[in-house]
Amino acid sequence: MIEDREVLTSRSHTSGGTGIGEQRVFVLDRHGKALMPCHPARARTLLDRGRARVARLAPFTIRLIDRTLAESEVDGVQLRIDPGSKATGIALTDEKQEVRPGGPPATVRRGLASVELRHRGAQIRAKMHRRATLRHRRRTANLRHRKPRFHNRSRSPGWLPPSLAHRVDTTVSQVARLMRLAPVTEIHIEQAAFDVHANSADGPLEGTDYQRGTLAGSEVREYLLEKWQRACAYCGVTDVPLEVEHIRPSARGGTDRISNLTLSCRRCNRAKNTTAVADFLADRPEVAAKIARQARTPLTDAAAMNTTRWRLRSRLAELGPPVTGWSGGRTKFNRTRSGLPKTHTLDALCVGELSEETYVVRHPVRPLIITCHGRGIYQRTLTDAYGFPRQRRPRTKRHFGFTTGDLVTAQVPKGKKAGHHRGRLAVRSDGYMNIRTTTKLVTAIHHRHIRLLQRGDGYSYALGGEV
């Protein structure tokens, strides 16, 4: 077996370069207590020598059979979270003191493991909307129906819509699972990507260092980058330096409010100068209309994050380790200083304080992609487009010892589907199951050829790749 050895780049810390390496393997002691993660090569050695057993496939975890927590040296790791409305980045890091030749000691931050958690809030919202549409149709149609119950329902304090509560619940669930697999001592979370109040009112934030230091303007830029999809509003070019631009020029009475700001490349910014948008885009009226429409459009994803950020932090505080909140402007500053591209997991790696003497020296090259699928549906009767019953589902979810979502392997001896198949299972009551592999869907495999690898938990797992 060819070992995947860690590869580090030769760029120096001061140049902003970071190294890449394989995702660390989680390690448990003989009683199931979390130890420090180890390198994959070390994990293979422990398994080959019979000193460890596979405890979990995804995320891959081994359990030692000859060591306890009291006999081990555990330094602890930090868990860093970059929450998002569609995906959340999670990174496990540790910080070590490193002696540099000819210079003072420096603190290095290493990324041990990274997870990209993909939410399904949009699917939940679409299903809730479809359910409301069907119920509205049944209430308004000329049919017998129950009396409406709009005025006899109450919501508990702190109620969140299901699509928003899902983001909080899944993030807390994955953090709690990682805490069972790794010795987490601190939790750092990006609490806000931008300060809406500071953007709309030219008031102070907190302290002169925040106002005039290296983070000045990061909140406004981050807001505009999200709002205008990181592209020039006039020509649409991407992957170039973008400048903050007044839609209505200051010379014509334009203000510094966030609704009057956009992003443009240097060429368009100089060409527009103090010209009105309607005159500058006279030959492209559709672009002018789009800018006017986009300037008034609120950020739906930002609203979702502003709604759930305090709930997420309070739920994380219940897990035990101290929780510290950080600004998205600081995260971007750290990532830019470290020379890292923008991804969910690399943003999570840069959450928190990164002083002048602290450097990011390593990040996993293949983060674990966790996609939320749910554990099935409560609806037993499927309906057509008009809300009438068309099919009834069985009340039993487990058939022949399997449930939908289980990670399985199948060895088919003969036939058109002969071979080895591995993936997520979709059960059928007749015993002929479907397996979704990473490349295709294999249908009608008899349950006798299927072997369970890991019970389904409502998520699917895959390895991604960083830039």
Side-chain angles (χ1 to χ4, degrees), residues 289-458:
K290 179 182 177 181
I291 292 176
R293 183 172 59 254
Q294 181 71 10
R296 299 189 298 268
T297 301
L299 285 176
T300 305
D301 294 337
M305 295 312 304
N306 287 339
T307 304
T308 58
R309 58 178 180 172
W310 289 109
R311 175 69 62 83
L312 177 59
R313 179 168 179 176
S314 62
R315 290 281 302 277
L316 291 174
E318 298 173 359
L319 298 179
V323 180
T324 307
W326 302 90
S327 169
R330 181 179 293 275
T331 300
K332 180 182 178 181
F333 173 75
N334 294 341
R335 176 171 49 81
T336 305
R337 174 173 170 261
S338 302
L340 295 173
K342 179 174 178 57
T343 64
H344 293 290
T345 52
L346 294 182
D347 273 351
L349 178 65
C350 297
V351 170
E353 184 178 3
L354 202 63
S355 63
E356 294 294 334
E357 294 78 20
T358 305
Y359 305 93
V360 177
V361 298
R362 181 191 183 277
H363 66 84
V365 66
R366 294 188 299 174
L368 181 64
I369 308 298
I370 302 179
T371 305
C372 302
H373 295 285
R375 295 178 179 268
I377 59 176
Y378 293 104
Q379 183 182 14
R380 297 295 94 190
T381 302
L382 302 182
T383 60
D384 57 14
Y386 304 99
F388 291 99
R390 66 175 180 86
Q391 181 182 354
R392 286 178 171 82
R393 291 176 176 267
R395 292 189 174 273
T396 304
K397 289 188 175 182
R398 177 168 296 186
H399 300 278
F400 304 96
F402 301 102
T403 57
T404 297
D406 289 345
L407 180 61
V408 299
T409 179
Q411 187 67 40
V412 183
K414 59 182 180 179
K416 293 188 296 184
K417 302 180 180 64
H420 180 76
H421 311 285
R422 177 175 173 174
R424 296 180 70 245
L425 185 70
V427 300
R428 297 173 62 94
S429 58
D430 59 1
Y432 290 89
M433 318 289 189
N434 300 336
I435 298 179
R436 169 72 67 177
T437 67
T438 57
T439 57
K440 60 182 178 180
L441 175 65
V442 185
T443 60
I445 298 180
H446 199 272
H447 68 89
R448 292 196 308 265
H449 306 310
I450 300 175
R451 184 170 62 90
L452 178 67
L453 297 178
Q454 182 172 296
R455 286 293 180 189
D457 55 0

Side-chain angles (χ1 to χ4, degrees), residues 12-254:
S12 65
H13 298 160
T14 57
S15 64
T18 61
I20 58 176
E22 287 298 325
Q23 190 108 306
R24 290 296 195 252
V25 175
F26 295 107
V27 182
L28 305 177
D29 73 346
R30 60 184 303 178
H31 301 302
K33 303 297 182 180
L35 302 178
M36 290 296 293
C38 70
H39 193 273
R42 175 63 176 168
R44 284 192 292 269
T45 301
L46 293 173
L47 292 172
D48 292 341
R49 294 179 179 178
R51 295 184 54 194
R53 301 288 187 269
V54 176
R56 185 179 176 87
L57 289 179
F60 191 73
T61 308
I62 63 173
R63 180 177 57 85
L64 301 179
I65 63 176
D66 59 353
R67 183 183 297 180
T68 62
L69 179 61
E71 302 169 348
S72 306
E73 181 180 351
V74 178
D75 297 330
V77 298
Q78 302 87 40
L79 191 144
R80 306 180 187 275
I81 307 173
D82 174 41
S85 63
K86 298 179 181 179
T88 294
I90 304 175
L92 286 174
T93 65
D94 67 350
E95 294 186 354
K96 302 289 185 180
Q97 290 290 331
E98 184 179 271
V99 179
R100 294 182 297 175
T107 303
V108 296
R109 178 182 297 178
R110 302 185 304 172
L112 304 179
S114 57
V115 173
E116 181 179 327
L117 177 62
R118 297 180 178 177
H119 305 294
R120 61 186 189 101
Q123 293 89 328
I124 294 177
R125 184 178 183 274
K127 290 184 177 181
M128 296 290 291
H129 178 72
R130 173 174 171 78
R131 187 184 72 175
T133 302
L134 295 177
R135 289 180 175 179
H136 181 267
R137 187 262 171 195
R138 290 199 296 265
R139 285 194 301 267
T140 57
N142 189 20
L143 300 171
R144 291 188 303 168
H145 59 277
R146 60 172 173 80
K147 186 178 180 180
R149 297 188 296 150
F150 298 121
H151 303 296
N152 63 352
R153 299 183 181 185
S154 61
R155 292 174 177 174
S156 59
W159 177 88
L160 287 177
S163 59
L164 299 182
H166 156 78
R167 296 179 173 94
V168 177
D169 294 338
T170 52
T171 303
V172 174
S173 175
Q174 289 300 322
V175 170
R177 174 175 295 175
L178 291 175
M179 290 179 58
R180 293 192 296 267
L181 302 179
V184 177
T185 58
E186 304 172 11
I187 297 178
H188 299 268
I189 180 173
E190 182 183 298
Q191 198 162 352
F194 35 77
D195 192 335
V196 177
H197 173 70
N199 290 338
S200 59
D202 298 329
L205 295 177
E206 48 177 348
T208 57
D209 292 337
Y210 185 66
Q211 297 174 22
R212 303 172 185 174
T214 53
L215 293 179
S218 296
E219 306 291 338
V220 174
R221 293 187 186 94
E222 189 66 22
Y223 182 95
L224 295 175
L225 286 172
E226 292 290 337
K227 187 172 184 177
W228 297 94
Q229 289 83 46
R230 304 178 183 275
C232 176
Y234 303 118
C235 65
V237 66
T238 58
D239 298 328
V240 298
L242 299 176
E243 302 175 349
V244 178
E245 154 74 6
H246 290 80
I247 299 177
R248 183 179 181 182
S250 302
R252 295 176 177 267

